[in-house]
Each structure stands twice: as structure tokens, then as C-alpha cells.
Amino acid sequence: MYNALLNLDFSSHTKVTAFTDDLVIMTAGNTLSETEVYAHTDLAKIEKWAKENKMQFNETKSKAMLLTRKRNNTNINIYLKNRRLEVVKEMKYLGSLQFINQRMHI
């Protein structure tokens, strides 16, 4: 289902994985603002692909999770369809709980 999406020309800072109807987009940057720029650039590609393929991503179910070594940097602004994604400290993916507490656990 997502083969064409996974083959889009994403930046070298972004990795996209999918399983059935679950999609994970991981973006890395040296700074918070740099990471936001990379994420928005690649999310725009994903939104365009979805529109062309008559698919929609549910922005109310979509979440953002920031993994960082900096303790005071916990807020990131990521938008999907002009809606800011909720920033969470834990999320469930493929039945595994992943959370932030200095490290990510699976």
C-alpha cells in the first residue's frame, strides 16, 4: 500500500517506515528549528502524495514525539494539514509502548 510513498525522495535527514496502515516518520537535525524544517519539507511531500492518491491522514490521531538529549527542550512544532500535532512523551506503535525517559524503550 505504501510502496510508492516509501519511495518518495525524502531528505537524508528523514526515515519513513510503514506497516499495514501505520506510518512512522523519523526526522533528525542538529537543532530544533532545523528538525522542524526537515520535517515540514518531508511532510509536504507526504501530504502531496496522499492527495494525489486520494488518501487522507488523520491529523487528530497523528502525534509528534521529540527525542533529544537536552532536558529543557521538550516542545516541537510539527504541522499536518495546517494543524499542529500533539507532542507526546509516549506512544504506541505496532503494539509496543515507546516512551521518553532519557532513552526510548521498546
Side-chain angles (χ1 to χ4, degrees), residues 39-57:
H40 290 135
T41 300
D42 289 326
L43 276 172
K45 293 175 186 178
I46 291 169
E47 287 185 64
K48 182 178 184 247
W49 175 88
K51 185 176 181 179
E52 290 171 353
N53 289 279
K54 297 182 173 105
M55 291 186 66
Q56 289 189 6
F57 293 103

Side-chain angles (χ1 to χ4, degrees), residues 43-105:
L43 276 172
K45 293 175 186 178
I46 291 169
E47 287 185 64
K48 182 178 184 247
W49 175 88
K51 185 176 181 179
E52 290 171 353
N53 289 279
K54 297 182 173 105
M55 291 186 66
Q56 289 189 6
F57 293 103
N58 187 337
E59 69 274 9
T60 59
K61 287 185 175 181
S62 301
K63 310 286 183 222
M65 185 165 71
L66 178 64
L67 302 175
T68 181
R69 291 185 184 114
K70 297 178 181 176
R71 295 183 189 272
N72 62 348
N73 213 358
T74 59
N75 200 16
I76 190 164
N77 296 305
I78 303 295
Y79 294 85
L80 179 63
K81 294 179 2 187
N82 296 318
R83 180 187 162 112
R84 185 176 179 271
L85 297 182
E86 176 187 0
V87 178
V88 297
K89 293 188 182 215
E90 66 181 41
M91 68 175 60
K92 208 170 207 180
Y93 179 66
L94 299 179
S96 296
L97 185 64
Q98 300 180 14
F99 62 95
I100 301 172
N101 186 7
Q102 295 180 341
R103 292 181 285 174
M104 187 169 90
H105 301 271

Side-chain angles (χ1 to χ4, degrees), residues 4-21:
L5 172 62
L6 296 174
N7 291 324
L8 291 177
D9 186 26
F10 295 110
S11 71
S12 62
H13 302 276
T14 297
K15 170 108 173 114
V16 179
T17 59
F19 184 78
T20 58
D21 65 346

